């Protein structure tokens, strides 16, 4: 009854107004792993960082959150970094210094759910191993995926798009931002892209649209939820908080694991709305705080209850 998250961990060097304002532990898959752990889920995390000062900071951070780092995750030559430049609205643009490699099968028990995405899905050579692990775990686990595109790292856009398409075919739940979709398929609206993705095999496709809310598609139809109104500090980690909240909500509904794949494929619109509303609250609480500070279960559930009663 554990999640396995596979993907990059790094140090975000945050710059705003021409000056460095801080260094924070980051990486989309890392944030999802930490978000799930803060929601009380058991999580194993496979990554590729160095045994250096920044790497040890990452190790301490995930352990403090309750995440178990998988053996072999600290053999990189250096710990990756990302320069995150914030604009006046708090939105981030990234420049990366990263290598991504994986070897073998993780020394972790069979997961209930496996999540991956972002750099891990497209950056060679590790993306090839990531795709192989999706195939390895698909027979026994729900597979979730967030492309969370980083165009600055992509040298061959067509190859990256092809890799994303192949992963979508093998996943059960896909979450993407409308910005991701515009990069992946600039000629079509997100609603149409989501319909195409759903036809490729996933049971659920979710699209986030920042302050405009989010929508989700399943075999039973379309559901939409508005974004919760909060004072935005910055958007760092918002999509990752949404992803961890979505996985957690499906976990609570008893829809994770390969044995539940048929039930997941038959999810009703009421349950799907509940799931993406919970995910949206996780994202809202995150953007209301500086950095990728994802909520714990108590604060997330209290905020949801307050919103319902309000």
């Amino acid at each position: 009854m554990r999640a396995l998250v596979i993907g990059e961990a790094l140090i975000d060097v945050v710059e705003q107004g021409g000056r460095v304002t801080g260094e924070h532990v980051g990486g989309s898959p890392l944030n999802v792993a930490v978000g799930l752990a803060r929601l009380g889920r058991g999580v194993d995390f496979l990554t590729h960082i160095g045994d250096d000062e920044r790497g040890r900071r990452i190790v301490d951070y995930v352990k403090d959150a309750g995440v178990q780092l998988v053996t072999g995750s600290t053999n990189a030559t250096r710990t990756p970094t990302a320069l995150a430049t914030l604009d006046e609205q708090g939105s981030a643009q990234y420049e990366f210094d990263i290598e991504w490699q994986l070897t073998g099968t993780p020394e972790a028990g069979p997961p209930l759910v496996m999540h991956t995405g972002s750099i891990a899905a497209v950056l060679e050579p590790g993306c090839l191993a990531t795709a192989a692990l999706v195939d390895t775990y698909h027979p026994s686990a729900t597979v979730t995926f967030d492309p969370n595109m980083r165009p600055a790292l992509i040298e061959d856009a067509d190859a990256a798009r092809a890799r994303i398409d192949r992963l979508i075919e093998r996943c059960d739940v896909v979450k993407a931002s409308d910005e991701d979709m515009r990069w992946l398929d600039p000629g079509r609206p997100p609603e149409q892209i989501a319909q195409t993705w759903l036809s490729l095999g996933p049971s659920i496709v979710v699209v986030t649209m920042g302050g405009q809310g989010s929508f989700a598609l399943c075999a039973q139809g379309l559901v939409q939820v508005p974004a919760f109104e909060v004072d935005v500090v910055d958007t760092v980690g918002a999509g990752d908080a949404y992803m961890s909240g979505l996985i957690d909500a499906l976990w609570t509904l008893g829809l994770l694991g390969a044995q539940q794949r048929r039930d997941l494929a038959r999810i009703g619109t009421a349950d799907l709305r509940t799931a993406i509303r919970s995910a949206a609250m996780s994202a809202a609480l995150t953007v209301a705080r500086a950095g990728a500070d994802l909520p714990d279960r108590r604060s997330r559930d209290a905020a949801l209850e307050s919103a319902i009663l309000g």
Side-chain angles (χ1 to χ4, degrees):
M1 297 295 292
R2 294 177 66 82
L4 172 64
V5 178
I6 299 173
E8 70 273 8
L10 45 80
I11 296 293
D12 282 322
V13 181
V14 181
E15 182 179 277
Q16 190 167 28
R19 65 185 183 89
V20 174
T21 59
E23 292 194 6
H24 310 281
V25 174
S28 175
L30 177 145
N31 290 336
V32 173
V34 169
L36 282 169
R38 289 183 178 177
L39 292 171
R41 303 301 186 180
V43 185
D44 298 309
F45 180 44
L46 175 64
T47 190
H48 187 62
I49 58 176
D51 184 16
D52 50 26
E53 182 178 353
R54 282 172 165 163
R56 288 187 287 274
R57 182 178 175 187
I58 290 172
V59 170
D60 290 343
Y61 181 84
V62 298
K63 286 185 176 180
D64 287 347
V67 175
Q68 179 67 47
L69 199 66
V70 175
T71 301
S73 291
T74 58
N75 57 8
T77 57
R78 66 185 183 282
T79 295
T81 60
L83 176 63
T85 303
L86 303 180
D87 61 20
E88 293 179 355
Q89 287 73 44
S91 296
Q93 297 293 325
Y94 293 90
E95 295 180 20
F96 295 90
D97 177 16
I98 183 172
E99 62 175 20
W100 174 243
Q101 296 187 40
L102 291 177
T103 56
T105 302
E107 295 182 15
L112 182 73
V113 55
M114 173 199 159
H115 174 77
T116 192
S118 195
I119 296 168
V122 296
L123 186 64
E124 293 186 351
C127 66
L128 304 177
T130 300
L133 288 171
V134 169
D135 288 339
T136 296
Y137 289 112
H138 184 268
S140 59
T142 299
V143 179
T144 67
F145 175 55
D146 177 4
N148 195 19
M149 303 306 300
R150 302 302 187 195
L153 279 172
I154 295 173
E155 296 181 358
D156 187 334
D158 289 339
R161 292 183 176 106
R163 288 191 177 112
I164 297 298
D165 285 344
R166 287 194 295 271
L167 282 170
I168 289 170
E169 292 173 356
R170 290 174 281 175
C171 292
D172 299 293
V173 179
V174 179
K175 192 279 293 182
S177 69
D178 55 347
E179 184 177 357
D180 291 334
M181 287 183 156
R182 282 193 294 271
W183 188 88
L184 287 165
D185 194 345
R188 297 194 298 159
E191 295 82 1
Q192 193 174 51
I193 300 169
Q195 286 282 3
T196 298
W197 287 3
L198 191 70
S199 72
L200 294 177
S203 296
I204 297 171
V205 176
V206 181
V207 181
T208 59
M209 302 176 292
Q212 297 179 14
S214 58
F215 69 86
L217 292 174
C218 66
Q220 300 300 315
L222 166 73
V223 298
Q224 297 174 287
V225 299
F228 291 97
E229 294 186 8
V230 295
D231 293 327
V232 176
V233 175
D234 64 53
T235 62
V236 178
D240 307 324
Y242 192 107
M243 187 77 243
S244 62
L246 177 61
I247 295 170
D248 172 73
L250 296 173
W251 204 325
T252 297
L253 290 167
L255 295 175
L256 298 185
Q259 292 182 338
Q260 309 304 322
R261 186 162 280 132
R262 183 173 297 179
D263 290 337
L264 181 66
R266 294 195 297 242
I267 188 172
T269 53
D271 280 344
L272 186 55
R273 180 176 288 105
T274 296
I276 66 172
R277 195 167 187 271
S278 180
M281 180 57 79
S282 288
L285 294 175
T286 300
V287 302
R289 300 187 285 215
D293 186 7
L294 280 66
D296 59 21
R297 179 169 299 280
R298 178 178 295 181
S299 60
R300 198 277 312 277
D301 289 355
L304 270 175
E305 183 178 359
S306 177
I308 292 170
L309 294 176

